[in-house]
Structures are given as C-alpha cells and as structure tokens.
Amino acid sequence: MLQFVFVLVVVCVSTQTTVNAEEYPPAELLEMLQPIHDYCAKEIGVSEDVLKNYDIDTKDHNVMCYMMCFMKQSNWMTMDGEIKFDFIVANPWEPIRHIIIANVNKCRDIEHDEDECVLVYNFAKCIHDVDEEHWFLP
C-alpha cells in the first residue's frame, strides 16, 4: 500500500510547487515521505535519533537496511533487490526533477553487492558524493 501511495504522490504532485533554496529538503516532500519513514524505521528497528544524526560515511548496517526498506517501499527497488533507475528517472517529484534525474543518472554504475542493504548504501553514497548539498536521509 505504501508503494502505491508514494508512486501516486510522486506522479500526481502539482508542478506549481516550487522548492525554496533555503528549505532543503522541502517540508512538503518530507511530509509525503513520513509514512514510509515511519514504517521502515519500525520495520528495521532503527531509532529516530540514529537516523537524525546519521553520517553517510558511518556505514551503519541497520541504517543501510532502513534505506533499502525505503527504496523498496518507494518502488525505487524491486522486491528482488534491483534498483529501478529508469522508473526513478521517469517518475521524479516534479519540484526537484532536475536534481533527481541528474544525480540518478550519475549513479547508475554503482558497485553491486549481494547484500541489498549494502547495494542501496552504495547508491545513496554515490548520490551523496555527486551532490552533497541535496542529499538527505528521510
């Protein structure tokens, strides 16, 4: 259900929304992602404090698995562990479309790993490294 809600939100959000440069990530985006955040934090068993203070260079496996849960619930990853690059690029949240497309396209050739949590971490780390200013952990 959360996958459907997120995909619907991403596809249907008004293109009239603008992103304020001082407010990134946009509050509206965080609000839309909150149900997925809540589900994955509970499912993985990671605390709000850990997520709020997470440093991408830490490589905390529980946070990596939270990211993997988030990707799957957002329909950005198949249940078999494949990142859906084409889907992500075709269905970005409109106000940050240019950011998502540019960053995802730069990170298609990430290092693969049998551990889905590590694979998603590698993707998140790449996104962080190509555009630290716009990377965030919801």
Side-chain angles (χ1 to χ4, degrees), residues 78-114:
T78 67
M79 289 302 153
D80 294 331
E82 296 291 322
I83 297 174
K84 298 167 67 173
F85 298 106
D86 293 334
F87 175 83
I88 299 168
V89 169
N91 298 288
W93 189 54
E94 194 60 38
I96 58 173
R97 173 183 201 81
H98 62 289
I99 296 168
I100 293 172
I101 292 172
N103 293 343
V104 169
N105 283 333
K106 291 175 187 171
C107 293
R108 287 178 179 255
D109 295 323
I110 58 168
E111 182 179 337
H112 289 276
D113 197 287
E114 292 294 317

